[in-house]
Amino acid sequence: MSSTKGQILVVDDEVYVADAMARLLKKEGYEPIVAHSGKQALGIAMQKVPQLVLCDIVLPDISGTQILSTLKSTPSTSSCFVVLMSAHKIDTKHQ
């Protein structure tokens, strides 16, 4: 039996952001798993099936929205909760 509250996958290409989030989550009793690319995140998610994925929208290889779509369309990960986040301003008029 695990002594943590659950696994949370943190996906951000900014290493310092991902690591800071992981430290905060660990301090709160969660088991953070860090990925710095979309491809890495999908591999980890398929293998570990975390309870929650905190994912940057803007990644260098695969967008956060593509990760969300893949996770939700894959039976083994479709029940994962996903939160998309970004430090970039998004122009909602052109989406």
Side-chain angles (χ1 to χ4, degrees):
M1 179 179 230
S2 178
S3 62
T4 66
K5 294 179 180 179
Q7 290 183 334
I8 298 177
L9 176 57
V10 178
V11 186
D12 201 307
D13 58 320
E14 297 290 343
V15 175
Y16 68 94
V17 172
D19 290 348
M21 289 176 63
R23 282 193 305 274
L24 289 172
L25 291 167
K26 188 170 185 166
K27 184 177 178 182
E28 292 299 320
Y30 295 95
E31 181 184 343
I33 307 163
V34 175
H36 299 295
S37 72
K39 185 176 179 181
Q40 182 185 26
L42 287 174
I44 291 169
M46 299 300 171
Q47 182 182 38
K48 302 260 186 190
V49 189
Q51 292 175 303
L52 174 65
V53 178
L54 299 175
C55 185
D56 188 8
I57 294 173
V58 181
L59 295 167
D61 58 347
I62 303 170
S63 74
T65 55
Q66 289 173 309
I67 292 170
L68 170 64
S69 178
T70 301
L71 293 176
K72 291 302 178 180
S73 66
T74 304
S76 63
T77 57
S78 64
S79 64
C80 292
F81 292 99
V82 179
V83 175
L84 296 177
M85 56 192 179
S86 183
H88 297 280
K89 182 178 178 182
I90 297 173
D91 185 359
T92 56
K93 292 179 186 177
H94 295 95
Q95 286 188 336

Coordinates of all heavy atoms in Angstrom, one line a residue:
M1 N 0.8 -1.2 0.0 CA 0.0 0.0 0.0 C 0.9 1.3 0.0 O 1.8 1.3 0.8 CB -0.9 0.0 1.2 CG -1.8 1.2 1.3 SD -2.9 1.0 2.8 CE -4.4 1.4 2.0
S2 N 0.5 2.2 -0.8 CA 1.3 3.4 -1.0 C 1.0 4.4 0.2 O -0.1 4.5 0.6 CB 1.0 4.1 -2.3 OG 1.7 5.3 -2.4
S3 N 2.1 5.1 0.6 CA 1.9 6.1 1.7 C 1.6 7.5 1.1 O 1.5 8.4 1.9 CB 3.1 6.1 2.6 OG 4.2 6.5 1.9
T4 N 1.5 7.6 -0.2 CA 1.3 8.9 -0.8 C -0.2 9.1 -1.1 O -1.0 8.1 -1.2 CB 2.1 9.1 -2.1 OG1 1.6 8.2 -3.1 CG2 3.6 8.9 -1.9
K5 N -0.6 10.3 -1.4 CA -2.0 10.6 -1.8 C -2.3 10.2 -3.2 O -3.4 10.1 -3.6 CB -2.2 12.1 -1.6 CG -2.2 12.6 -0.2 CD -2.4 14.1 -0.1 CE -2.4 14.6 1.3 NZ -2.6 16.0 1.3
G6 N -1.3 9.9 -4.0 CA -1.4 9.5 -5.4 C -0.4 10.1 -6.3 O 0.4 11.0 -5.9
Q7 N -0.3 9.6 -7.5 CA 0.7 10.0 -8.5 C 0.1 11.2 -9.3 O -1.0 11.1 -9.8 CB 1.1 8.9 -9.4 CG 1.9 7.8 -8.8 CD 2.3 6.8 -9.8 OE1 1.7 6.6 -10.8 NE2 3.4 6.1 -9.5
I8 N 1.0 12.2 -9.5 CA 0.7 13.4 -10.3 C 1.8 13.5 -11.3 O 3.0 13.7 -10.9 CB 0.5 14.6 -9.5 CG1 -0.7 14.5 -8.6 CG2 0.2 15.8 -10.4 CD1 -1.0 15.6 -7.6
L9 N 1.4 13.5 -12.6 CA 2.4 13.8 -13.7 C 2.5 15.3 -14.0 O 1.5 15.9 -14.3 CB 2.0 13.0 -14.9 CG 2.9 13.2 -16.2 CD1 4.3 12.9 -15.9 CD2 2.3 12.4 -17.3
V10 N 3.7 15.8 -13.8 CA 3.9 17.2 -14.1 C 4.7 17.3 -15.4 O 5.7 16.8 -15.6 CB 4.8 17.9 -12.9 CG1 5.1 19.3 -13.3 CG2 4.1 17.7 -11.6
V11 N 4.1 18.1 -16.4 CA 4.7 18.2 -17.7 C 5.0 19.6 -18.0 O 4.0 20.4 -18.1 CB 3.7 17.6 -18.8 CG1 4.4 17.6 -20.1 CG2 3.2 16.2 -18.4
D12 N 6.2 20.0 -18.1 CA 6.6 21.3 -18.4 C 8.0 21.3 -19.0 O 8.9 20.6 -18.4 CB 6.6 22.2 -17.2 CG 6.5 23.7 -17.6 OD1 7.3 24.2 -18.4 OD2 5.5 24.4 -17.1
D13 N 8.3 21.9 -20.1 CA 9.6 22.0 -20.7 C 10.6 22.9 -19.9 O 11.8 22.8 -20.1 CB 9.6 22.3 -22.2 CG 8.9 23.6 -22.5 OD1 7.9 24.0 -21.8 OD2 9.4 24.4 -23.3
E14 N 10.0 23.7 -19.1 CA 10.9 24.6 -18.3 C 11.2 23.8 -17.0 O 10.4 23.5 -16.1 CB 10.1 25.9 -17.9 CG 9.8 26.8 -19.0 CD 11.0 27.5 -19.6 OE1 12.1 27.5 -19.0 OE2 10.8 27.9 -20.8
V15 N 12.5 23.3 -17.0 CA 12.9 22.4 -15.9 C 12.6 23.0 -14.5 O 12.1 22.3 -13.6 CB 14.4 22.0 -16.1 CG1 14.9 21.2 -14.9 CG2 14.6 21.3 -17.4
Y16 N 12.9 24.2 -14.3 CA 12.8 24.8 -13.0 C 11.3 24.9 -12.6 O 11.0 24.7 -11.4 CB 13.4 26.2 -12.9 CG 12.8 27.3 -13.7 CD1 11.8 28.1 -13.2 CD2 13.1 27.5 -15.1 CE1 11.2 29.1 -13.9 CE2 12.5 28.4 -15.9 CZ 11.5 29.2 -15.3 OH 10.9 30.2 -16.0
V17 N 10.4 25.1 -13.5 CA 9.0 25.1 -13.2 C 8.5 23.7 -12.8 O 7.8 23.6 -11.8 CB 8.1 25.7 -14.4 CG1 6.7 25.5 -14.2 CG2 8.5 27.1 -14.7
A18 N 8.8 22.7 -13.6 CA 8.4 21.4 -13.3 C 9.0 20.9 -12.0 O 8.3 20.3 -11.2 CB 8.9 20.4 -14.4
D19 N 10.2 21.2 -11.7 CA 10.9 20.8 -10.5 C 10.3 21.5 -9.3 O 10.1 20.8 -8.2 CB 12.4 21.0 -10.5 CG 13.1 20.0 -11.5 OD1 12.4 19.0 -12.0 OD2 14.3 20.2 -11.8
A20 N 10.0 22.7 -9.4 CA 9.3 23.5 -8.3 C 7.9 22.9 -8.0 O 7.6 22.7 -6.8 CB 9.2 25.0 -8.6
M21 N 7.2 22.6 -9.0 CA 5.9 22.0 -8.8 C 6.0 20.7 -8.2 O 5.2 20.3 -7.3 CB 5.1 21.9 -10.1 CG 4.7 23.3 -10.7 SD 3.9 23.2 -12.3 CE 2.5 22.2 -11.9
A22 N 6.9 19.9 -8.6 CA 7.1 18.5 -8.0 C 7.5 18.6 -6.6 O 7.0 17.8 -5.8 CB 8.2 17.8 -8.8
R23 N 8.3 19.6 -6.2 CA 8.7 19.7 -4.8 C 7.5 20.1 -3.9 O 7.3 19.5 -2.8 CB 9.8 20.8 -4.6 CG 11.2 20.3 -5.0 CD 12.3 21.3 -4.5 NE 12.1 22.6 -5.0 CZ 12.5 23.1 -6.2 NH1 13.2 22.2 -7.0 NH2 12.3 24.3 -6.6
L24 N 6.7 21.0 -4.4 CA 5.5 21.4 -3.7 C 4.5 20.2 -3.5 O 3.9 20.0 -2.5 CB 4.8 22.5 -4.4 CG 5.5 23.9 -4.3 CD1 4.8 24.9 -5.2 CD2 5.5 24.4 -2.9
L25 N 4.3 19.4 -4.6 CA 3.4 18.3 -4.6 C 3.9 17.2 -3.6 O 3.2 16.6 -2.8 CB 3.2 17.7 -6.0 CG 2.4 18.6 -6.9 CD1 2.6 18.0 -8.3 CD2 1.0 18.6 -6.5
K26 N 5.2 17.0 -3.6 CA 5.8 16.0 -2.7 C 5.7 16.4 -1.3 O 5.3 15.6 -0.4 CB 7.3 15.8 -3.1 CG 7.9 14.6 -2.3 CD 9.3 14.3 -2.8 CE 9.8 13.1 -2.1 NZ 11.0 12.5 -2.7
K27 N 5.8 17.7 -1.0 CA 5.7 18.2 0.3 C 4.2 18.0 0.8 O 4.0 17.8 2.0 CB 6.0 19.7 0.3 CG 6.0 20.4 1.7 CD 6.4 21.8 1.6 CE 6.3 22.5 2.9 NZ 6.7 23.9 2.9
E28 N 3.3 18.0 -0.1 CA 1.9 17.8 0.3 C 1.5 16.4 0.3 O 0.3 16.0 0.5 CB 1.0 18.6 -0.7 CG 1.1 20.1 -0.6 CD 0.7 20.6 0.8 OE1 -0.3 20.1 1.4 OE2 1.4 21.5 1.3
G29 N 2.4 15.5 0.1 CA 2.2 14.0 0.2 C 1.8 13.3 -1.0 O 1.5 12.1 -1.0
Y30 N 2.0 13.9 -2.2 CA 1.8 13.3 -3.5 C 3.1 12.7 -4.0 O 4.1 13.1 -3.6 CB 1.2 14.3 -4.5 CG -0.2 14.8 -4.1 CD1 -0.3 16.0 -3.4 CD2 -1.3 14.0 -4.4 CE1 -1.6 16.4 -3.1 CE2 -2.6 14.5 -4.1 CZ -2.7 15.7 -3.4 OH -3.9 16.1 -3.0
E31 N 2.9 11.8 -5.0 CA 4.1 11.3 -5.7 C 4.2 11.9 -7.1 O 3.5 11.5 -8.0 CB 4.0 9.8 -5.8 CG 5.2 9.1 -6.5 CD 5.0 7.6 -6.7 OE1 4.1 7.0 -6.1 OE2 5.8 7.1 -7.5
P32 N 5.0 13.0 -7.2 CA 5.1 13.6 -8.5 C 6.0 12.8 -9.4 O 7.0 12.2 -9.0 CB 5.7 15.0 -8.1 CG 6.5 14.7 -6.9 CD 5.8 13.7 -6.1
I33 N 5.7 12.9 -10.7 CA 6.5 12.3 -11.8 C 6.7 13.5 -12.8 O 5.7 14.1 -13.1 CB 5.8 11.1 -12.5 CG1 5.3 10.1 -11.4 CG2 6.7 10.5 -13.5 CD1 4.3 9.1 -12.0
V34 N 7.9 13.7 -13.2 CA 8.2 14.9 -14.0 C 8.5 14.4 -15.4 O 9.3 13.5 -15.6 CB 9.3 15.7 -13.4 CG1 9.7 16.9 -14.3 CG2 8.9 16.3 -12.0
A35 N 7.9 15.1 -16.4 CA 8.3 15.0 -17.8 C 8.6 16.4 -18.4 O 7.9 17.3 -18.1 CB 7.2 14.3 -18.6
H36 N 9.6 16.4 -19.3 CA 9.9 17.7 -19.9 C 9.6 17.8 -21.3 O 10.0 18.8 -22.0 CB 11.4 18.0 -19.6 CG 11.8 18.1 -18.2 ND1 11.3 19.1 -17.3 CD2 12.6 17.3 -17.4 CE1 11.8 18.9 -16.1 NE2 12.5 17.8 -16.1
S37 N 8.9 16.8 -21.9 CA 8.4 16.9 -23.3 C 7.1 16.1 -23.4 O 6.8 15.3 -22.5 CB 9.5 16.2 -24.2 OG 9.5 14.8 -24.0
G38 N 6.4 16.4 -24.4 CA 5.1 15.8 -24.6 C 5.3 14.3 -24.9 O 4.5 13.4 -24.4
K39 N 6.3 13.9 -25.7 CA 6.5 12.5 -26.0 C 6.9 11.7 -24.7 O 6.4 10.6 -24.4 CB 7.7 12.4 -27.0 CG 7.9 11.0 -27.4 CD 9.0 10.9 -28.5 CE 9.3 9.5 -28.9 NZ 10.3 9.3 -29.9
Q40 N 7.7 12.3 -23.9 CA 8.1 11.7 -22.6 C 6.8 11.6 -21.7 O 6.6 10.6 -21.0 CB 9.2 12.5 -21.9 CG 9.6 11.9 -20.6 CD 10.6 12.8 -19.8 OE1 10.6 14.0 -20.0 NE2 11.5 12.2 -19.1
A41 N 6.0 12.6 -21.7 CA 4.8 12.6 -20.8 C 3.8 11.5 -21.3 O 3.3 10.8 -20.4 CB 4.1 14.0 -20.9
L42 N 3.6 11.3 -22.5 CA 2.7 10.3 -23.0 C 3.3 8.9 -22.6 O 2.5 8.0 -22.2 CB 2.5 10.4 -24.5 CG 1.6 11.5 -25.0 CD1 1.6 11.6 -26.5 CD2 0.2 11.4 -24.4
G43 N 4.6 8.7 -22.8 CA 5.2 7.4 -22.4 C 5.0 7.1 -20.9 O 4.6 6.0 -20.6
I44 N 5.2 8.1 -20.1 CA 5.0 7.9 -18.7 C 3.6 7.7 -18.3 O 3.2 6.8 -17.5 CB 5.6 9.1 -17.9 CG1 7.1 9.2 -18.0 CG2 5.1 9.1 -16.4 CD1 7.7 10.5 -17.5
A45 N 2.7 8.5 -18.9 CA 1.2 8.3 -18.6 C 0.7 7.0 -19.0 O -0.1 6.4 -18.3 CB 0.5 9.4 -19.3
M46 N 1.2 6.4 -20.1 CA 0.7 5.1 -20.6 C 1.2 4.0 -19.6 O 0.6 3.0 -19.4 CB 1.2 4.8 -22.0 CG 0.6 5.8 -23.0 SD -1.2 5.8 -23.1 CE -1.4 7.2 -24.2
Q47 N 2.4 4.2 -19.1 CA 3.0 3.2 -18.2 C 2.5 3.3 -16.8 O 2.2 2.3 -16.2 CB 4.6 3.4 -18.3 CG 5.3 2.4 -17.4 CD 6.8 2.6 -17.4 OE1 7.3 3.7 -17.4 NE2 7.5 1.5 -17.4
K48 N 2.4 4.5 -16.3 CA 2.1 4.7 -14.8 C 0.6 5.0 -14.6 O 0.2 4.8 -13.5 CB 3.0 5.9 -14.3 CG 4.4 5.7 -14.4 CD 5.0 5.2 -13.1 CE 6.5 5.2 -13.2 NZ 7.1 4.5 -12.1
V49 N -0.1 5.5 -15.5 CA -1.5 6.0 -15.4 C -1.7 6.8 -14.1 O -2.3 6.3 -13.2 CB -2.5 4.8 -15.5 CG1 -3.9 5.3 -15.6 CG2 -2.1 3.9 -16.7
P50 N -1.2 8.0 -14.1 CA -1.3 8.8 -12.9 C -2.8 9.3 -12.7 O -3.6 9.3 -13.6 CB -0.5 10.1 -13.2 CG -0.5 10.1 -14.7 CD -0.5 8.7 -15.2
Q51 N -3.1 9.7 -11.5 CA -4.4 10.2 -11.2 C -4.7 11.5 -11.8 O -5.8 11.9 -12.2 CB -4.7 10.3 -9.7 CG -4.7 8.9 -9.0 CD -4.8 9.1 -7.5 OE1 -3.9 9.7 -6.9 NE2 -5.8 8.5 -6.9
L52 N -3.6 12.3 -11.9 CA -3.8 13.7 -12.4 C -2.5 14.0 -13.3 O -1.4 13.6 -12.9 CB -3.8 14.7 -11.2 CG -3.8 16.2 -11.5 CD1 -5.0 16.6 -12.3 CD2 -3.7 17.0 -10.2
V53 N -2.8 14.8 -14.3 CA -1.7 15.3 -15.2 C -1.8 16.8 -15.2 O -2.8 17.4 -15.6 CB -1.8 14.7 -16.6 CG1 -0.7 15.3 -17.5 CG2 -1.8 13.2 -16.6
L54 N -0.7 17.5 -14.8 CA -0.6 18.9 -14.8 C 0.3 19.2 -16.0 O 1.5 18.9 -16.0 CB 0.0 19.5 -13.6 CG -0.8 19.2 -12.3 CD1 0.0 19.7 -11.1 CD2 -2.2 19.9 -12.3
C55 N -0.3 19.8 -17.1 CA 0.4 19.8 -18.3 C 0.5 21.2 -18.9 O -0.6 21.9 -19.1 CB -0.2 18.9 -19.3 SG 0.6 18.7 -20.9
D56 N 1.7 21.7 -19.3 CA 1.9 22.9 -20.0 C 1.2 22.8 -21.4 O 1.3 21.7 -22.0 CB 3.4 23.2 -20.1 CG 3.7 24.6 -20.6 OD1 2.8 25.4 -20.8 OD2 4.9 24.8 -20.9
I57 N 0.6 23.8 -21.8 CA 0.0 23.8 -23.2 C 1.1 23.9 -24.3 O 1.0 23.2 -25.3 CB -1.0 24.9 -23.3 CG1 -2.2 24.7 -22.4 CG2 -1.5 25.0 -24.8 CD1 -3.2 25.9 -22.4
V58 N 2.1 24.7 -24.0 CA 3.1 25.0 -25.0 C 4.4 24.2 -24.7 O 5.1 24.5 -23.8 CB 3.5 26.5 -25.1 CG1 4.5 26.8 -26.1 CG2 2.2 27.4 -25.3
L59 N 4.5 23.1 -25.5 CA 5.7 22.2 -25.4 C 6.4 22.2 -26.7 O 5.8 22.5 -27.7 CB 5.3 20.8 -25.0 CG 4.6 20.7 -23.6 CD1 4.0 19.4 -23.4 CD2 5.7 20.9 -22.5
P60 N 7.7 21.9 -26.7 CA 8.4 21.9 -28.0 C 8.1 20.9 -29.0 O 8.2 21.1 -30.2 CB 9.9 21.8 -27.6 CG 9.8 21.2 -26.2 CD 8.6 21.6 -25.6
D61 N 7.5 19.7 -28.6 CA 7.3 18.6 -29.5 C 5.8 18.3 -29.7 O 5.4 18.2 -30.9 CB 8.0 17.4 -29.1 CG 7.6 16.9 -27.7 OD1 7.0 17.7 -26.9 OD2 8.0 15.8 -27.3
I62 N 5.0 18.2 -28.7 CA 3.6 17.9 -28.8 C 2.9 18.9 -27.9 O 3.3 19.1 -26.8 CB 3.3 16.5 -28.3 CG1 4.1 15.4 -29.1 CG2 1.8 16.2 -28.4 CD1 4.0 14.0 -28.5
S63 N 1.8 19.5 -28.4 CA 1.1 20.5 -27.6 C 0.3 19.8 -26.4 O 0.0 18.6 -26.5 CB 0.1 21.3 -28.4 OG -1.0 20.5 -28.7
G64 N 0.1 20.6 -25.4 CA -0.7 20.0 -24.3 C -2.1 19.6 -24.7 O -2.6 18.6 -24.2
T65 N -2.7 20.3 -25.7 CA -4.0 19.9 -26.1 C -4.0 18.5 -26.9 O -4.9 17.7 -26.8 CB -4.7 21.0 -27.0 OG1 -3.8 21.3 -28.1 CG2 -5.0 22.2 -26.2
Q66 N -2.9 18.3 -27.6 CA -2.7 17.0 -28.2 C -2.5 15.9 -27.2 O -3.0 14.8 -27.4 CB -1.5 17.0 -29.2 CG -1.8 17.8 -30.4 CD -0.5 18.0 -31.3 OE1 0.5 18.4 -30.8 NE2 -0.6 17.7 -32.6
I67 N -1.8 16.2 -26.1 CA -1.6 15.2 -25.0 C -2.9 14.9 -24.4 O -3.3 13.7 -24.2 CB -0.6 15.7 -24.0 CG1 0.8 15.8 -24.6 CG2 -0.6 14.9 -22.7 CD1 1.8 16.5 -23.7
L68 N -3.7 15.9 -24.1 CA -5.1 15.7 -23.6 C -5.9 14.8 -24.5 O -6.5 13.9 -24.0 CB -5.8 17.1 -23.4 CG -7.2 17.1 -23.0 CD1 -7.5 16.4 -21.7 CD2 -7.8 18.5 -23.1
S69 N -5.9 15.1 -25.8 CA -6.7 14.3 -26.7 C -6.3 12.9 -26.7 O -7.1 12.0 -26.7 CB -6.6 15.0 -28.1 OG -7.3 14.2 -29.0
T70 N -5.0 12.6 -26.7 CA -4.4 11.3 -26.7 C -4.8 10.5 -25.5 O -5.2 9.4 -25.5 CB -2.9 11.3 -26.9 OG1 -2.6 11.9 -28.2 CG2 -2.3 9.9 -26.9
L71 N -4.6 11.2 -24.3 CA -4.9 10.5 -23.0 C -6.4 10.2 -23.0 O -6.8 9.1 -22.5 CB -4.5 11.4 -21.9 CG -3.0 11.7 -21.7 CD1 -2.8 12.6 -20.5 CD2 -2.3 10.3 -21.4
K72 N -7.3 11.1 -23.4 CA -8.7 10.9 -23.3 C -9.2 9.8 -24.3 O -10.3 9.2 -24.1 CB -9.5 12.2 -23.4 CG -9.3 13.1 -22.2 CD -9.7 12.4 -20.9 CE -9.5 13.3 -19.7 NZ -9.9 12.6 -18.5
S73 N -8.5 9.7 -25.4 CA -9.0 8.7 -26.4 C -8.3 7.3 -26.2 O -8.6 6.4 -27.0 CB -8.7 9.2 -27.8 OG -7.3 9.3 -28.0
T74 N -7.5 7.2 -25.2 CA -6.8 5.9 -24.9 C -7.5 5.3 -23.7 O -7.6 5.9 -22.7 CB -5.3 6.1 -24.6 OG1 -4.7 6.7 -25.7 CG2 -4.6 4.8 -24.4
P75 N -8.1 4.1 -23.9 CA -8.9 3.5 -22.8 C -8.2 3.4 -21.4 O -8.8 3.7 -20.4 CB -9.2 2.1 -23.3 CG -9.3 2.2 -24.8 CD -8.2 3.2 -25.1
S76 N -6.9 3.1 -21.4 CA -6.2 3.0 -20.1 C -5.9 4.3 -19.4 O -5.7 4.3 -18.2 CB -4.8 2.3 -20.4 OG -4.0 3.0 -21.2
T77 N -6.0 5.4 -20.1 CA -5.7 6.7 -19.5 C -6.9 7.6 -19.6 O -6.8 8.8 -19.2 CB -4.5 7.4 -20.2 OG1 -4.7 7.5 -21.6 CG2 -3.2 6.6 -19.9
S78 N -8.0 7.2 -20.1 CA -9.2 8.1 -20.3 C -9.8 8.6 -19.0 O -10.4 9.6 -19.0 CB -10.3 7.4 -21.1 OG -10.8 6.3 -20.4
S79 N -9.5 7.9 -17.9 CA -10.1 8.4 -16.6 C -9.1 9.4 -15.9 O -9.5 9.9 -14.8 CB -10.4 7.2 -15.7 OG -9.3 6.5 -15.4
C80 N -7.9 9.6 -16.4 CA -7.0 10.6 -15.8 C -7.6 12.0 -15.9 O -8.1 12.4 -16.9 CB -5.6 10.6 -16.5 SG -4.7 9.1 -16.4
F81 N -7.4 12.7 -14.8 CA -7.8 14.1 -14.8 C -6.6 14.9 -15.4 O -5.5 14.5 -15.1 CB -8.1 14.6 -13.4 CG -9.3 14.0 -12.8 CD1 -9.3 12.9 -11.9 CD2 -10.6 14.5 -13.1 CE1 -10.4 12.4 -11.4 CE2 -11.7 14.0 -12.6 CZ -11.7 12.9 -11.7
V82 N -6.9 15.9 -16.2 CA -5.9 16.6 -16.9 C -6.2 18.1 -16.7 O -7.3 18.6 -16.9 CB -5.8 16.3 -18.4 CG1 -4.7 17.2 -19.0 CG2 -5.6 14.9 -18.6
V83 N -5.1 18.8 -16.2 CA -5.2 20.3 -16.1 C -4.2 20.9 -17.0 O -3.0 20.6 -16.9 CB -4.9 20.8 -14.6 CG1 -4.9 22.3 -14.6 CG2 -5.9 20.2 -13.7
L84 N -4.7 21.7 -18.0 CA -3.7 22.4 -18.9 C -3.4 23.7 -18.4 O -4.3 24.4 -17.9 CB -4.4 22.5 -20.3 CG -4.7 21.2 -21.0 CD1 -5.4 21.4 -22.4 CD2 -3.4 20.4 -21.2
M85 N -2.2 24.1 -18.5 CA -1.7 25.4 -17.9 C -0.7 26.0 -18.8 O -0.1 25.4 -19.6 CB -1.2 25.2 -16.5 CG 0.0 24.2 -16.5 SD 0.4 23.8 -14.8 CE 1.7 22.6 -15.1
S86 N -0.6 27.4 -18.7 CA 0.5 28.0 -19.5 C 0.8 29.4 -18.9 O -0.1 30.0 -18.3 CB 0.0 28.3 -20.9 OG 1.0 28.9 -21.7
A87 N 2.0 29.8 -19.0 CA 2.4 31.1 -18.6 C 2.3 32.1 -19.8 O 2.5 33.3 -19.6 CB 3.9 31.1 -18.1
H88 N 2.0 31.6 -21.0 CA 1.9 32.4 -22.1 C 0.5 33.0 -22.3 O -0.5 32.3 -21.9 CB 2.2 31.6 -23.4 CG 3.6 31.1 -23.4 ND1 4.7 31.9 -23.8 CD2 4.1 29.9 -23.1 CE1 5.8 31.2 -23.7 NE2 5.5 30.0 -23.3
K89 N 0.3 34.2 -22.8 CA -1.0 34.7 -23.0 C -1.5 34.0 -24.3 O -0.8 33.9 -25.3 CB -0.8 36.2 -23.3 CG -2.2 36.9 -23.5 CD -2.0 38.4 -23.7 CE -3.4 39.0 -24.0 NZ -3.3 40.4 -24.3
I90 N -2.8 33.6 -24.2 CA -3.4 32.9 -25.3 C -4.5 33.9 -25.9 O -5.3 34.4 -25.2 CB -4.0 31.6 -24.9 CG1 -3.0 30.7 -24.3 CG2 -4.8 31.0 -26.0 CD1 -3.5 29.4 -23.7
D91 N -4.4 34.1 -27.2 CA -5.4 34.9 -27.9 C -6.6 34.0 -28.2 O -6.6 33.2 -29.1 CB -4.8 35.4 -29.2 CG -5.7 36.4 -29.9 OD1 -6.9 36.6 -29.4 OD2 -5.3 36.9 -31.0
T92 N -7.7 34.2 -27.4 CA -8.9 33.4 -27.6 C -9.7 33.8 -28.8 O -10.6 33.1 -29.2 CB -9.7 33.4 -26.3 OG1 -10.1 34.8 -26.0 CG2 -9.0 32.8 -25.1
K93 N -9.5 34.9 -29.4 CA -10.2 35.4 -30.5 C -10.0 34.6 -31.7 O -10.8 34.5 -32.6 CB -9.9 36.9 -30.8 CG -10.4 37.8 -29.7 CD -10.0 39.2 -30.1 CE -10.4 40.2 -29.0 NZ -10.0 41.5 -29.3
H94 N -8.8 34.0 -31.8 CA -8.4 33.2 -33.0 C -8.3 31.7 -32.8 O -7.7 31.0 -33.6 CB -7.0 33.8 -33.5 CG -7.0 35.2 -33.9 ND1 -6.7 36.2 -33.0 CD2 -7.4 35.8 -35.1 CE1 -6.9 37.4 -33.7 NE2 -7.3 37.1 -34.9
Q95 N -9.0 31.2 -31.8 CA -9.0 29.8 -31.6 C -10.3 29.1 -32.2 O -11.3 29.7 -32.3 CB -8.9 29.4 -30.1 CG -7.5 29.7 -29.6 CD -7.3 29.2 -28.2 OE1 -8.3 29.1 -27.5 NE2 -6.1 28.9 -27.8

